């Protein structure tokens, strides 16, 4: 493996350096039918699950075939996507916000050959490479984070949990039989890179044990005042302790922190500031399920998701309890909701007491909010409830 | 032959949904096969070791990536995230496994030649594993070694005219929906505004000078496909001020069942014949619509532009002509003090170049937040701590009932001295002259 230079000269880093040029301008990458009709679209129609048709003032039509992906994509699969785009779409392709790919063609007769090609491609393990769907009143792809594959703070794996749920609900991706769209999101810790807190259903990795304290390293790796200040519940205080030096065997006093365990809410913010306070733990870590949020302003304001399952353990590799719970929730929603009702609309209409009844989920004390002032506004302050 | 046995991960190859394990195995195998043809610049077995390390996490149910590590390219404070594994002896291929964020084009349209070039570069100088795309919107290149970072940056900028994205306490890579390029509901050119602000604020994007991260997201309409209202410090959402355009013939066609409602989105189930009263008029949140003589009427002055009627009847109803956008501030995920939704700050501004009014709002907010924001405090938290009035004061935006869901509950008004006649300086002798002890 010989090092091959790009032309960069490490002795003169500023020589020929190009910086602050930003991304490429998007108009370089628009297919002709899109470029020609930009800002002049009239209406659209989902002609079948996974296939959208947009009609322009000019009479032009663009057909977009939407396919799901795992988000993790090696360049071998990426090149296959590009080959398909070259073959069917004149060398253009786009991705959606929710990790789907859209292959666009400018006439209807090009749709079927494209679909046939996409569905004919499978991985060696047997799964589809490019399942078609993700449109309309159905379930689209799950947006998610890195998990154990690349992040340092996760409480679970992201790709694995998503794979399991998408397998369980696969038929919903390819059809549109729901009352409204169902947006599922996954974040592997409370930091929520995926901002899942406004999803119809959110899967969230969560720790349940306070950090372990590596007394030997706290003062070497961390600014103790920053670690103390990082705690939102003031559970961390500076202290001193005596440890045995690993090399010399001598007892020595070191600066470190102490944690009041009963105040810890397991957010991991201290670990972000101080690597000597790890949280990951096989027994402690698992999943929280939240539901009933949305980001659209349609009919009513955007809503936060609410915690409906306090804990599901990390049952690797296929998380059967997670799959079962998702199935229960989705089936109850499909059965009970009225047309146009999002998951949260349905839960609020029938009442949360009914929600737990029809989904079969257990209501425990963990689901009653006790975090600061906003908690009060979530308690029932009326005699209007259902038996 | 795979380098490591992965019996647990292998169980994630079955089932219909695209398997990331199969994808990674394919990538690992291709590197082994091509190693005599390509002078790989990082270990050939990087993806094999990634699978091995991930299998270990599946067995132990604990993560094996170490905390951060400061690496990057000269002169930038973001765009690269350092990553090292805590089992480098067992898995030397991923001892270094840094992430590179590449600033995606607005709306995520691509020409294949661009992505082919990127694939070749990443195959050669990295693991070949990507995320298309990361949560914030960047193209994510997962896994390379420190010596490759400058080389990758040099090739991106010199050969591909392409820059890195943001990370750390800076402006994160802005993201937009596909906007006017393929959507009839986009009320402004979301992609162009996203691009122009990305270019205007390159310094803020590459060189961290903020208390914490700062996100811009651009939704073309209130449907909010990029979720700006839930996750961006400044959320730009398209809207209009005049009347919804109505095509009464198309309304009649919907009523007559000639056109499927909701763009065909409910075609998978028999919901019965379309009922405009039940499905549109009764669900209108402001009840500003009615049928009269077979025609649909809208009292547009009372409409709050929620999009429901447009979504249900896209061929009959269109966004108005006096278009622009609303700016909302302070959204964030729960860390630390609970999740916050964006709060409406500027009800309406035209989305037209040179966007000076928008830049003024941004820069006024930054001046304040950079001065007053605490370490790791998002804009929304500074707003909560110092109050919405402060935000209005620093942006010079006048208070308006549109700013609140309802007026305040508490009468604890923090009157300013200049608002009260005579000021706050009291004279106790004067008081005692009327109220002896």
């Amino acid at each position: 493996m010989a090092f091959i230079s790009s032309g960069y000269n490490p002795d003169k880093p500023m020589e020929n350096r190009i910086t602050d040029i930003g991304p490429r301008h998007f108009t370089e990458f628009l297919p002709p039918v899109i470029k020609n009709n930009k800002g002049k679209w009239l209406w659209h129609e989902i002609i079948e699950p996974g296939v959208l048709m947009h009609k322009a003032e000019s009479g032009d039509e663009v057909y977009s075939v939407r396919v799901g992906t795992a988000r993790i994509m090696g360049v071998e699969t990426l090149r296959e996507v590009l080959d398909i785009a070259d073959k069917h779409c004149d060398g253009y392709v786009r991705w959606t916000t929710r990790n789907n790919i859209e292959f666009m063609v400018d006439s209807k007769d090009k749709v079927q050959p494209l679909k046939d090609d996409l569905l004919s491609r499978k991985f060696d393990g047997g799964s589809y490479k490019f399942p078609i769907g993700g449109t309309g009143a159905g379930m689209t792809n799950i947006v998610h984070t890195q998990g154990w594959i690349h992040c340092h703070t996760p409480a679970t794996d992201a790709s694995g949990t998503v794979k399991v749920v998408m397998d369980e609900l696969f038929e919903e991706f390819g059809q549109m039989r729901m009352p409204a769209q169902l947006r599922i999101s996954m974040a592997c810790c409370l930091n929520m890179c995926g901002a899942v807190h406004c999803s119809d259903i959110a899967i969230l990795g969560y720790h349940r044990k306070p950090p372990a304290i590596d007394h030997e390293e706290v003062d070497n790796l961390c600014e103790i005042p920053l670690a103390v200040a990082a705690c939102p519940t003031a559970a961390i205080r500076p202290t001193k302790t005596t440890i045995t030096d690993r090399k010399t065997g001598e007892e020595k006093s070191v600066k470190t922190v102490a944690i009041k365990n009963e105040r810890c809410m397991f957010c991991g913010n201290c670990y972000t500031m101080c690597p000597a306070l790890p949280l990951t733990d096989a027994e402690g870590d698992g999943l929280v399920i939240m539901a009933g949020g949305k980001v659209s302003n349609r009919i009513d304001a955007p809503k936060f998701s609410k915690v409906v399952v306090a804990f599901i353990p990390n049952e690797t590799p296929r998380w059967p309890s997670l799959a079962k719970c998702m199935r229960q929730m989705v089936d109850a929603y499909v059965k009970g909701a009225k047309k146009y009702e999002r998951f949260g609309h349905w839960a609020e209409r029938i009442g949360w007491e009914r929600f737990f009844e029809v989904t079969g989920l257990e209501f425990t004390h963990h689901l009653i909010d006790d975090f600061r002032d906003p908690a009060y506004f979530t308690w029932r302050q009326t005699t209007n409830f259902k038996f | 032959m795979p380098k490591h046995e992965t019996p647990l991960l292998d169980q994630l190859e079955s089932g219909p949904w695209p398997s990331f394990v199969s994808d990674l195995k394919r990538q690992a195998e291709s590197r082994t096969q091509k190693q005599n043809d390509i002078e790989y610049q990082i270990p050939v077995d990087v993806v094999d070791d990634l699978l091995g390390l991930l299998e270990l996490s599946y067995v132990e149910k604990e993560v094996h990536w170490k905390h951060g590590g400061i690496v990057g390219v000269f002169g930038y404070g973001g765009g690269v995230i350092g990553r090292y594994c805590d089992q480098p002896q067992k898995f030397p291929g991923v001892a270094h496994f840094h992430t590179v964020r590449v600033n995606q084009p607005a709306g995520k349209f691509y020409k294949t030649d661009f992505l082919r070039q990127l694939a070749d570069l990443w195959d050669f100088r990295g693991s070949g594993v990507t995320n298309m795309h990361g949560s914030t919107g960047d193209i994510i290149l997962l896994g390379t070694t420190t010596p490759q970072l400058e080389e990758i940056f040099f090739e991106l900028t010199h050969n591909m005219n392409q820059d890195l994205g943001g990370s750390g306490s800076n402006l994160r890579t802005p993201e937009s929906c596909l906007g006017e390029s393929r959507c009839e509901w986009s009320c402004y050119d979301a992609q162009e505004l996203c691009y122009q602000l990305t270019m205007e604020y390159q310094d803020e994007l590459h060189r961290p000078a903020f208390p914490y991260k700062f996100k811009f997201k651009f939704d073309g309409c209130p449907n909010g496909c990029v979720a700006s209202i839930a996750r961006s410090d400044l959320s730009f959402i398209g809207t209009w001020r005049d009347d919804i355009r109505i095509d009464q013939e198309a309304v009649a066609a919907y009523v007559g069942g000639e056109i499927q409602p909701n763009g065909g989105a409910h075609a998978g189930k028999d919901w019965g014949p379309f009922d405009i009263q039940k499905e549109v008029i009764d669900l209108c949140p402001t009840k500003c619509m009615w049928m009269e003589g077979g025609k649909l009427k809208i009292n547009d002055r009372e409409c709050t532009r929620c999009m429901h009627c447009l979504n249900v009847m896209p061929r009959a109803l269109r966004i108005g002509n006096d278009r622009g956008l609303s700016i909302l501030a302070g959204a964030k995920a729960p860390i630390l003090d609970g999740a916050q939704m964006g709060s409406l700050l500027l009800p309406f501004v035209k989305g037209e170049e040179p966007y000076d009014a928008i830049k003024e709002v941004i820069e006024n907010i930054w001046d304040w937040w950079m001065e007053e924001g605490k370490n790791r405090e998002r804009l929304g938290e500074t707003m909560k701590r110092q109050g919405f009035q402060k935000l209005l004061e620093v942006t010079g935006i006048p208070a308006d009932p549109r700013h609140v869901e309802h007026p305040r509950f508490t009468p604890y008004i923090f009157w300013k001295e200049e608002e009260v006649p005579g000021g706050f300086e009291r004279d106790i002798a004067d008081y005692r002259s009327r109220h002896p002890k």
Side-chain angles (χ1 to χ4, degrees), chain B residues 83-389:
Chain B
R83 188 66 73 226
Y84 303 89
C85 97
D86 65 10
Q87 300 278 355
Q89 284 80 28
K90 265 194 200 157
F91 306 102
V94 291
H96 295 210
F97 198 69
H98 309 321
T99 309
V100 180
R101 292 186 181 165
V102 178
N103 192 333
Q104 83 289 357
K108 303 189 183 79
F109 287 88
Y110 294 99
K111 272 183 88 167
T112 50
D113 55 358
F114 173 83
L115 285 180
R116 239 178 254 289
Q117 207 180 347
L118 188 67
D120 291 347
L121 165 62
W122 187 237
D123 210 6
F124 181 55
R125 297 197 179 276
S127 70
V129 178
T130 76
N131 287 152
M132 297 295 289
H133 296 74
S135 299
T136 297
D138 297 277
I139 300 170
I140 304 289
L141 306 178
L142 282 178
T144 192
T145 58
T146 309
Q148 289 305 312
L149 296 172
E150 287 289 356
E151 309 298 326
I152 290 164
F153 182 67
F154 191 93
E155 292 203 26
L156 279 175
T157 51
H158 285 76
N159 307 336
M160 298 185 68
N161 191 23
Q162 172 65 51
D163 208 338
L164 300 181
S167 66
S169 292
N170 62 11
L171 175 64
R172 297 300 181 86
T173 309
E175 184 184 24
S176 76
C177 66
L178 53 51
E180 291 183 340
S181 64
R182 204 200 61 198
C183 185
E184 66 270 29
W185 293 324
S186 194
C187 301
Y188 69 104
D189 192 339
Q191 290 164 292
E192 187 64 28
L193 181 57
C194 179
Y195 178 79
Q196 293 297 338
L197 294 183
T198 305
M199 298 310 289
E200 177 80 19
Y201 299 118
Q202 281 289 296
D203 192 30
E204 286 77 3
L205 197 154
H206 296 305
R207 296 170 194 91
F210 289 157
Y212 200 13
K213 64 181 90 164
F214 198 97
K215 297 185 179 184
F216 289 159
K217 292 197 192 292
F218 306 87
D219 277 309
C221 84
N223 279 329
C225 290
V226 293
S228 69
I229 200 168
R231 58 184 184 140
S232 50
D233 299 270
L234 282 181
S235 155
F236 303 84
I237 303 181
T239 195
W240 66 94
R241 289 190 288 199
D242 57 348
D243 297 350
I244 292 172
R245 289 173 286 168
I246 309 178
D247 175 346
Q248 296 290 358
E249 275 179 35
V251 173
Y254 278 106
V255 173
E258 292 151 45
I259 309 174
Q260 283 202 66
N262 226 28
H266 288 86
K269 181 175 168 179
D270 182 9
W271 293 93
F274 176 64
D275 181 342
I276 194 169
Q277 184 67 39
K278 198 171 124 201
E279 297 187 34
V280 180
I281 295 171
D282 291 349
L283 289 177
C284 170
T286 61
K287 310 290 177 230
C288 67
M289 319 179 81
W290 67 98
M291 293 298 287
E292 195 174 299
K295 290 192 168 162
L296 180 70
K297 301 282 183 186
I298 303 176
N299 179 3
D300 285 274
R301 201 175 137 68
E302 299 309 311
C303 170
T304 54
R305 306 164 310 286
C306 84
M307 298 296 294
H308 176 67
C309 59
L310 282 88
N311 289 340
V312 176
M313 303 193 293
R315 291 174 72 165
L317 302 178
R318 300 177 69 193
I319 56 174
N321 284 318
D322 183 11
R323 300 191 282 265
L325 56 117
S326 304
I327 302 180
L328 294 90
K332 57 180 276 292
I335 284 277
L336 281 167
D337 202 11
Q340 288 179 238
M341 207 70 82
S343 299
L344 181 68
L345 174 62
L346 193 61
F348 189 84
V349 61
K350 281 287 196 184
E352 290 163 1
E353 290 189 69
Y355 309 114
D356 285 341
I358 294 171
K359 289 176 192 168
E360 196 186 325
V361 172
I362 293 167
E363 288 164 24
N364 282 333
I365 288 177
W366 281 350
D367 284 347
W368 168 58
W369 179 59
M370 287 170 76
E371 186 70 28
E372 298 286 336
K374 294 180 185 174
N375 183 33
R376 286 173 58 78
E377 184 175 71
R378 293 284 289 269
L379 175 66
E381 290 159 325
T382 312
M383 285 163 55
K384 257 169 95 174
R385 192 162 54 77
Q386 297 210 345
F388 196 82
Q389 283 89 337

Side-chain angles (χ1 to χ4, degrees), chain A residues 1-6 8 14 16-26 28-30 34 38-39 41-46 54 64 69 71-77 79-80 82-83 86 91-95 97 99 102 125 127-128 131 137 141 146 148-152 157 159-160 163 166-167 170 176-177 179 190-193 195 197-198 269 271-273 280-282 295-299 304 314 316-318 339-340 372, chain B residues 8 11-20 23 26-27 30 34 39-41 58 60-63 65-67 74 76 83 97 99 106-112 116 120 123 125 128 130-133 135 142 148 150-151 154-155 157-158 160-163 178 180-182 184-185 189 191-192 195 199 202 206-207 222-224 226 230 262-266 268 271 279 285 306 308 311-312 315 318 332 334-337 341 376:
Chain A
M1 186 170 83
F3 183 83
I4 297 173
S5 170
S6 60
Y8 169 72
M14 292 312 290
N16 297 324
R17 195 168 190 85
I18 299 174
T19 68
D20 299 83
I21 56 173
R24 295 277 285 267
H25 194 268
F26 59 94
E28 292 180 54
F29 297 141
L30 299 179
I34 297 287
K38 182 167 175 284
W41 295 100
L42 276 178
W43 49 267
H44 76 278
E45 194 172 65
I46 305 166
H54 287 80
S64 307
T69 74
R71 189 177 91 141
I72 283 265
M73 184 176 279
V75 293
E76 289 301 309
T77 307
R79 288 185 183 119
E80 192 172 339
L82 304 178
D83 289 342
D86 281 341
Y92 295 90
V93 63
R94 80 171 287 265
W95 269 258
T97 307
N99 310 128
E102 287 180 345
S127 63
Y128 285 102
N141 201 349
Q146 302 288 11
W148 289 332
I149 211 161
H150 196 60
C151 183
H152 66 294
D157 189 38
S159 306
K163 164 73 174 153
M166 289 306 292
D167 279 344
F170 184 73
M176 305 186 294
R177 61 167 193 135
L190 193 59
N191 277 316
M192 283 195 192
C193 307
H197 56 291
C198 298
N269 204 44
Y271 180 59
T272 300
M273 300 309 292
T280 188
D281 183 275
V295 295
S296 159
N297 290 274
R298 184 175 184 171
I299 300 179
F304 292 124
N314 279 327
T316 57
R318 292 208 63 105
K339 194 177 180 185
Y340 304 114
R372 301 197 175 153
Chain B
L8 292 180
Q11 295 176 53
L12 288 169
E13 289 201 88
S14 60
W17 187 252
S19 167
F20 71 101
D23 195 304
R26 177 188 195 187
Q27 192 59 32
S30 119
K34 293 182 189 167
E39 189 86 43
Y40 285 118
Q41 296 292 290
Y58 269 67
E60 295 180 353
K61 305 179 185 183
E62 290 184 350
V63 69
W65 296 105
K66 286 209 282 195
H67 196 288
F74 188 76
Y76 279 12
R83 188 66 73 226
F97 198 69
T99 309
K108 303 189 183 79
F109 287 88
Y110 294 99
K111 272 183 88 167
T112 50
R116 239 178 254 289
D120 291 347
D123 210 6
R125 297 197 179 276
T130 76
N131 287 152
M132 297 295 289
H133 296 74
S135 299
L142 282 178
Q148 289 305 312
E150 287 289 356
E151 309 298 326
F154 191 93
E155 292 203 26
T157 51
H158 285 76
M160 298 185 68
N161 191 23
Q162 172 65 51
D163 208 338
L178 53 51
E180 291 183 340
S181 64
R182 204 200 61 198
E184 66 270 29
W185 293 324
D189 192 339
Q191 290 164 292
E192 187 64 28
Y195 178 79
M199 298 310 289
Q202 281 289 296
H206 296 305
R207 296 170 194 91
N223 279 329
V226 293
N262 226 28
H266 288 86
W271 293 93
E279 297 187 34
C306 84
H308 176 67
N311 289 340
V312 176
R315 291 174 72 165
R318 300 177 69 193
K332 57 180 276 292
I335 284 277
L336 281 167
D337 202 11
M341 207 70 82
R376 286 173 58 78

